[in-house]
Structures are given as structure tokens and as C-alpha cells.
Amino acid sequence: AQSVAQPEDQVNVAEGNPLTVKCTYSVSGNPYLFWYVQYPNRGLQFLLKYITGDNLVKGSYGFEAEFNKSQTSFHLKKPSALVSDSALYFCAAHFQKLVFGTGTRLLVSP
Amino acid sequence: DADVTQTPRNRITKTGKRIMLECSQTKGHDRMYWYRQDPGLGLRLIYYSFDVKDINKGEISDGYSVSRQAQAKFSLSLESAIPNQTALYFCATSDRNRDPYEQYFGPGTRLTVT
């Protein structure tokens, strides 16, 4: 079955440090991959996507993600975390419809 | 995204009651979706509609029904609410012609069934 996994329920990082939020997928073929962010009491907001081309994708708010086909991963990264980045992050893949991971809560401490 | 609105934003109802959640969009998108979010489970697709005459079940459609009244409106009904339908419900839209894979979400409806 097609699936998306986010192995970490929560990631803690200090402000100014680099952050990584992990995502792996299980699918046959070439998936379209996405990251969304959810702030408290808000709907999900699109951050970035990978369709084809360069494996490093840049998105909103300084985030980027690296597609690694051999490891079937699409990790979200940011070189320098901000307290305001604290939110719930969802990885998703499109296999005929959008399939979401379970989400990772990012906490950035001052 | 203010272009996708959901009403009500919060609702408490009792077991057995019928309830409708409404979604409206001004983005002009043809595709609309209903998801529910539960802690630790992420978002799961309930129903989706690719146009007014096209309605499809998602992975967890049991106990729910939908109506696509117009291109801009997509409502979700719980015919007889039960406590395990307590969740956060999201409506989303996408545009087949512009980017069918990128979805735009409403602010959510928090539903509690007692």
C-alpha cells in the first residue's frame, strides 16, 4: 500500500540551529511529494513540493527539502531555525490522491 | 487560507444528531475535498469531488455523506453523529488546470460529539 511515514512525533531544536524533519514514502513509480505546515487554529499551508528535476527544492519561509530516490526520503530542512517555525509539519505524497504522514511537531526554543 | 471558508468553526453536538459542516471557496477551483484530522493519525480523506457531478469516497467515508451544491460549495453531513467522529475537519480545494496536486485548506471545524 502507498504510505508516508514521519518517524518523529516531535523535533526540538534551539533557535539559530539547523533543523531537519524526516519523511519517507513507500510507493511504486515516481511520487509527487509535498510539505505542509499547520499553525495553531489554522488550516494546513503549502510549503513546498517536488514533482521532478532538481532534488533540492526550495520553498516558503526559508525551508527546503531534499528528494532522495534511493532512500525514498523527502526530508524538510532549514539552515537556521526561528521560534516562529514552531508548528506541526506534514509530509504528503500524491498517489492518485494526497496521502499524508502523521505529522511532526517542531518546537524551536529561544 | 481566507479563500476557503468553513462554517461553523466549532460545534458541540450530541450522539445521534444530524450535523452539517459547510465549505465555500472563492478560488474558482474545480476540485474539493473533506478530511478529518485526529492526533497521531494525520489527515485522512473522507470524500472528494472533482466537479459538481463527481463525488468519490475516500478512505473513511462510512458514517458521512457529502453534497456538492455548486462549484464553490461542498458540504459534509454526519447523519447520526457518534463520539468517535469527534475530530478536526478540514475542507480543501485544488485546481485541475493550474496545479491539481497542490491543495488549499480551510481553517478547520472542530467537532465534538458527546
Coordinates of all heavy atoms in Angstrom, one line a residue, chain B residues 47-97:
Chain B
Y47 N -14.2 12.3 1.7 CA -14.8 12.4 0.4 C -14.1 13.4 -0.5 O -13.4 14.3 0.1 CB -16.3 12.8 0.4 CG -17.3 11.7 0.6 CD1 -17.7 11.4 1.9 CD2 -17.8 11.0 -0.5 CE1 -18.7 10.3 2.1 CE2 -18.7 10.0 -0.3 CZ -19.2 9.7 1.0 OH -20.1 8.7 1.1
Y48 N -14.2 13.3 -1.8 CA -13.7 14.3 -2.7 C -14.5 14.4 -3.9 O -15.3 13.5 -4.3 CB -12.2 14.0 -3.1 CG -11.9 12.7 -3.8 CD1 -11.7 12.7 -5.2 CD2 -11.8 11.5 -3.1 CE1 -11.4 11.5 -5.8 CE2 -11.6 10.3 -3.8 CZ -11.3 10.3 -5.1 OH -11.1 9.2 -5.8
S49 N -14.4 15.6 -4.5 CA -15.3 15.9 -5.7 C -14.5 16.6 -6.7 O -13.9 17.6 -6.4 CB -16.5 16.7 -5.2 OG -17.2 17.2 -6.3
F50 N -14.4 16.1 -7.9 CA -13.7 16.7 -9.0 C -14.5 17.7 -9.8 O -13.9 18.5 -10.6 CB -13.0 15.7 -9.9 CG -11.8 15.0 -9.3 CD1 -11.2 13.9 -10.0 CD2 -11.3 15.4 -8.1 CE1 -10.1 13.3 -9.4 CE2 -10.2 14.8 -7.5 CZ -9.5 13.8 -8.2
D51 N -15.8 17.6 -9.7 CA -16.6 18.7 -10.2 C -18.0 18.4 -9.6 O -18.2 17.5 -8.9 CB -16.7 18.8 -11.8 CG -17.3 17.6 -12.4 OD1 -18.3 17.0 -12.0 OD2 -16.7 17.1 -13.5
V52 N -19.0 19.3 -10.0 CA -20.3 19.2 -9.4 C -21.0 17.9 -9.5 O -21.7 17.4 -8.6 CB -21.2 20.4 -9.9 CG1 -22.6 20.3 -9.4 CG2 -20.6 21.7 -9.6
K53 N -20.7 17.2 -10.6 CA -21.4 15.9 -10.8 C -20.6 14.7 -10.4 O -20.9 13.6 -10.7 CB -21.9 15.8 -12.2 CG -22.9 16.9 -12.7 CD -23.3 16.7 -14.1 CE -24.3 17.8 -14.5 NZ -24.7 17.6 -15.9
D54 N -19.4 15.0 -9.8 CA -18.5 13.9 -9.5 C -18.2 13.8 -8.0 O -17.6 14.8 -7.4 CB -17.2 14.1 -10.3 CG -16.2 13.0 -10.0 OD1 -16.3 11.9 -10.4 OD2 -15.2 13.3 -9.2
I55 N -18.6 12.8 -7.3 CA -18.4 12.6 -5.9 C -17.8 11.2 -5.7 O -18.2 10.2 -6.3 CB -19.7 12.6 -5.1 CG1 -20.5 13.9 -5.4 CG2 -19.5 12.4 -3.6 CD1 -19.9 15.1 -4.7
N56 N -16.7 11.2 -4.9 CA -16.0 10.0 -4.7 C -15.7 9.7 -3.2 O -15.4 10.7 -2.5 CB -14.6 10.0 -5.4 CG -14.8 10.3 -6.9 OD1 -15.1 9.4 -7.6 ND2 -14.6 11.5 -7.3
K57 N -15.8 8.5 -2.8 CA -15.5 8.2 -1.4 C -14.0 8.1 -1.2 O -13.2 7.7 -2.1 CB -16.0 6.8 -1.1 CG -17.5 6.7 -1.0 CD -18.0 5.3 -0.6 CE -19.5 5.3 -0.5 NZ -20.0 4.0 -0.1
G58 N -13.6 8.6 0.0 CA -12.2 8.5 0.4 C -12.0 7.3 1.2 O -12.7 6.3 1.2
E59 N -10.9 7.3 2.1 CA -10.6 6.1 2.8 C -11.5 5.9 4.0 O -11.6 4.7 4.5 CB -9.1 6.1 3.2 CG -8.8 7.4 4.1 CD -7.3 7.4 4.4 OE1 -6.8 6.4 5.0 OE2 -6.7 8.5 4.1
I60 N -12.2 6.9 4.5 CA -13.0 6.7 5.7 C -14.4 7.4 5.6 O -14.8 8.2 6.3 CB -12.3 7.3 7.0 CG1 -11.9 8.8 6.7 CG2 -11.1 6.5 7.3 CD1 -11.6 9.5 8.0
S61 N -15.1 7.0 4.6 CA -16.4 7.6 4.2 C -17.6 7.1 5.1 O -18.6 7.7 5.1 CB -16.7 7.4 2.8 OG -16.8 6.1 2.4
D62 N -17.5 6.0 5.7 CA -18.6 5.4 6.5 C -19.1 6.4 7.6 O -18.3 6.9 8.3 CB -18.2 4.1 7.1 CG -18.0 2.9 6.1 OD1 -18.5 3.1 5.0 OD2 -17.5 1.9 6.5
G63 N -20.4 6.6 7.6 CA -21.0 7.5 8.6 C -21.0 8.9 8.1 O -21.5 9.8 8.8
Y64 N -20.5 9.2 6.9 CA -20.5 10.5 6.4 C -21.2 10.5 5.0 O -21.3 9.5 4.3 CB -19.1 11.1 6.2 CG -18.3 11.1 7.4 CD1 -17.4 10.1 7.7 CD2 -18.3 12.2 8.2 CE1 -16.6 10.1 8.9 CE2 -17.5 12.3 9.4 CZ -16.7 11.2 9.7 OH -15.9 11.3 10.8
S65 N -21.7 11.7 4.6 CA -22.2 11.9 3.3 C -21.9 13.3 2.9 O -21.5 14.2 3.7 CB -23.7 11.7 3.1 OG -24.4 12.6 3.9
V66 N -21.9 13.6 1.6 CA -21.5 14.9 1.1 C -22.5 15.4 0.0 O -23.2 14.6 -0.6 CB -20.1 15.0 0.5 CG1 -19.0 14.8 1.6 CG2 -19.9 14.0 -0.6
S67 N -22.4 16.7 -0.2 CA -23.2 17.3 -1.3 C -22.4 18.4 -1.9 O -21.9 19.3 -1.2 CB -24.5 17.9 -0.7 OG -25.2 18.6 -1.7
R68 N -22.3 18.4 -3.2 CA -21.6 19.5 -3.9 C -22.7 20.3 -4.6 O -23.2 20.1 -5.7 CB -20.7 18.9 -5.0 CG -19.8 19.9 -5.7 CD -18.6 20.2 -5.0 NE -17.8 21.3 -5.6 CZ -16.8 21.1 -6.4 NH1 -16.4 19.8 -6.7 NH2 -16.1 22.1 -6.9
Q69 N -23.1 21.4 -3.9 CA -24.3 22.2 -4.3 C -23.9 23.1 -5.5 O -24.8 23.5 -6.2 CB -24.8 23.0 -3.1 CG -25.2 22.3 -1.9 CD -24.1 22.1 -0.9 OE1 -22.9 22.0 -1.2 NE2 -24.5 22.2 0.4
A70 N -22.7 23.4 -5.6 CA -22.2 24.3 -6.7 C -20.7 24.1 -6.7 O -20.1 23.5 -5.9 CB -22.6 25.8 -6.4
Q71 N -20.1 24.7 -7.7 CA -18.6 24.5 -7.8 C -18.0 25.0 -6.6 O -16.9 24.5 -6.1 CB -18.1 25.2 -9.1 CG -16.6 24.9 -9.2 CD -15.9 25.7 -10.4 OE1 -16.3 26.8 -10.7 NE2 -15.0 25.0 -11.1
A72 N -18.5 26.1 -6.0 CA -17.9 26.7 -4.9 C -18.3 26.2 -3.5 O -17.8 26.6 -2.5 CB -18.2 28.2 -4.9
K73 N -19.2 25.2 -3.4 CA -19.7 24.8 -2.2 C -19.7 23.3 -2.1 O -20.2 22.6 -3.0 CB -21.2 25.3 -1.9 CG -21.2 26.8 -1.8 CD -22.6 27.3 -1.5 CE -22.8 28.8 -1.5 NZ -22.0 29.3 -0.3
F74 N -19.2 22.8 -0.9 CA -19.1 21.4 -0.7 C -19.4 21.1 0.8 O -18.6 21.5 1.6 CB -17.7 20.9 -1.1 CG -17.5 19.4 -1.2 CD1 -18.5 18.6 -1.7 CD2 -16.3 18.9 -0.8 CE1 -18.2 17.2 -1.8 CE2 -16.0 17.5 -0.9 CZ -17.0 16.7 -1.4
S75 N -20.5 20.4 1.1 CA -20.9 20.2 2.5 C -20.7 18.8 2.9 O -20.9 17.9 2.1 CB -22.3 20.7 2.7 OG -23.2 20.0 1.9
L76 N -20.4 18.6 4.2 CA -20.2 17.3 4.7 C -21.3 17.1 5.8 O -21.5 17.9 6.7 CB -18.8 17.2 5.4 CG -18.5 15.9 6.1 CD1 -18.3 14.8 5.2 CD2 -17.2 16.1 7.0
S77 N -22.0 15.9 5.8 CA -23.0 15.6 6.7 C -22.7 14.4 7.5 O -22.2 13.4 7.0 CB -24.4 15.5 6.1 OG -24.8 16.7 5.5
L78 N -23.0 14.5 8.8 CA -23.0 13.3 9.7 C -24.4 13.0 10.0 O -25.1 13.8 10.6 CB -22.2 13.6 11.0 CG -20.7 13.7 10.9 CD1 -20.2 14.9 10.1 CD2 -20.1 13.7 12.3
E79 N -24.9 11.9 9.4 CA -26.3 11.6 9.5 C -26.8 11.3 11.0 O -27.8 11.7 11.4 CB -26.7 10.4 8.7 CG -26.4 10.7 7.2 CD -27.2 11.9 6.6 OE1 -28.3 12.1 7.1 OE2 -26.7 12.6 5.8
S80 N -25.9 10.6 11.7 CA -26.2 10.3 13.1 C -24.8 10.3 13.8 O -24.1 9.3 13.8 CB -26.9 8.9 13.2 OG -27.2 8.6 14.6
A81 N -24.5 11.4 14.4 CA -23.2 11.6 15.0 C -22.9 10.6 16.1 O -23.8 10.3 16.9 CB -23.0 13.0 15.4
I82 N -21.6 10.2 16.1 CA -21.2 9.3 17.2 C -19.9 9.9 17.8 O -19.2 10.6 17.1 CB -21.0 7.9 16.7 CG1 -20.0 7.8 15.6 CG2 -22.3 7.2 16.4 CD1 -19.7 6.4 15.1
P83 N -19.6 9.5 19.1 CA -18.4 10.2 19.7 C -17.1 10.0 19.0 O -16.3 10.9 19.0 CB -18.4 9.5 21.1 CG -19.8 9.2 21.4 CD -20.4 8.8 20.0
N84 N -16.9 8.8 18.3 CA -15.6 8.7 17.6 C -15.5 9.5 16.3 O -14.5 9.5 15.6 CB -15.2 7.2 17.4 CG -16.0 6.6 16.2 OD1 -16.8 7.2 15.6 ND2 -15.7 5.3 16.0
Q85 N -16.5 10.3 16.0 CA -16.4 11.3 15.0 C -16.0 12.7 15.5 O -15.9 13.6 14.7 CB -17.8 11.4 14.2 CG -18.1 10.2 13.4 CD -19.5 10.3 12.8 OE1 -20.5 10.7 13.4 NE2 -19.5 9.9 11.5
T86 N -15.7 12.7 16.8 CA -15.0 13.9 17.3 C -13.7 14.1 16.7 O -12.8 13.2 16.8 CB -14.9 13.8 18.8 OG1 -16.2 13.8 19.4 CG2 -14.1 14.9 19.4
A87 N -13.4 15.2 16.0 CA -12.2 15.4 15.3 C -12.2 16.9 14.8 O -13.1 17.6 14.9 CB -12.1 14.4 14.1
L88 N -11.1 17.2 14.1 CA -10.9 18.4 13.4 C -11.1 18.1 11.9 O -10.5 17.2 11.4 CB -9.5 19.0 13.7 CG -9.2 20.4 13.2 CD1 -10.2 21.4 13.8 CD2 -7.8 20.8 13.7
Y89 N -12.1 18.8 11.3 CA -12.4 18.6 9.9 C -11.9 19.7 9.1 O -12.1 20.9 9.4 CB -13.9 18.4 9.8 CG -14.4 17.2 10.4 CD1 -14.7 17.1 11.8 CD2 -14.6 16.0 9.6 CE1 -15.2 15.9 12.3 CE2 -15.1 14.8 10.2 CZ -15.4 14.8 11.6 OH -15.8 13.6 12.1
F90 N -11.3 19.3 7.9 CA -10.8 20.3 7.0 C -11.4 20.1 5.6 O -11.5 19.0 5.1 CB -9.3 20.2 6.9 CG -8.5 20.7 8.1 CD1 -8.0 19.9 9.0 CD2 -8.4 22.1 8.3 CE1 -7.3 20.3 10.1 CE2 -7.7 22.6 9.4 CZ -7.2 21.7 10.3
C91 N -11.7 21.2 5.0 CA -12.1 21.3 3.6 C -10.8 21.8 2.8 O -10.0 22.6 3.4 CB -13.2 22.2 3.4 SG -13.7 22.5 1.7
A92 N -10.7 21.3 1.6 CA -9.5 21.7 0.8 C -10.0 21.8 -0.6 O -11.0 21.2 -1.0 CB -8.4 20.8 0.9
T93 N -9.3 22.6 -1.4 CA -9.6 22.7 -2.9 C -8.3 22.6 -3.7 O -7.2 22.7 -3.2 CB -10.2 24.1 -3.2 OG1 -9.2 25.1 -3.1 CG2 -11.3 24.4 -2.2
S94 N -8.5 22.3 -4.9 CA -7.3 22.3 -5.9 C -7.9 22.6 -7.3 O -9.1 22.5 -7.5 CB -6.6 21.0 -5.9 OG -7.3 19.9 -6.4
D95 N -7.0 23.0 -8.2 CA -7.4 23.4 -9.5 C -6.8 22.4 -10.5 O -5.5 22.3 -10.6 CB -6.8 24.8 -9.7 CG -7.3 25.4 -11.1 OD1 -7.5 24.6 -12.0 OD2 -7.3 26.6 -11.2
R96 N -7.6 21.7 -11.2 CA -7.1 20.7 -12.2 C -6.2 21.3 -13.2 O -5.3 20.7 -13.7 CB -8.4 20.1 -12.9 CG -8.0 19.1 -14.0 CD -9.3 18.8 -14.8 NE -9.9 19.9 -15.3 CZ -11.1 19.9 -15.9 NH1 -11.8 18.8 -16.0 NH2 -11.6 21.0 -16.4
N97 N -6.5 22.5 -13.6 CA -5.8 23.1 -14.8 C -4.5 23.8 -14.3 O -3.5 23.8 -15.1 CB -6.7 24.2 -15.5 CG -7.9 23.5 -16.2 OD1 -7.7 22.4 -16.8 ND2 -9.1 24.1 -16.0

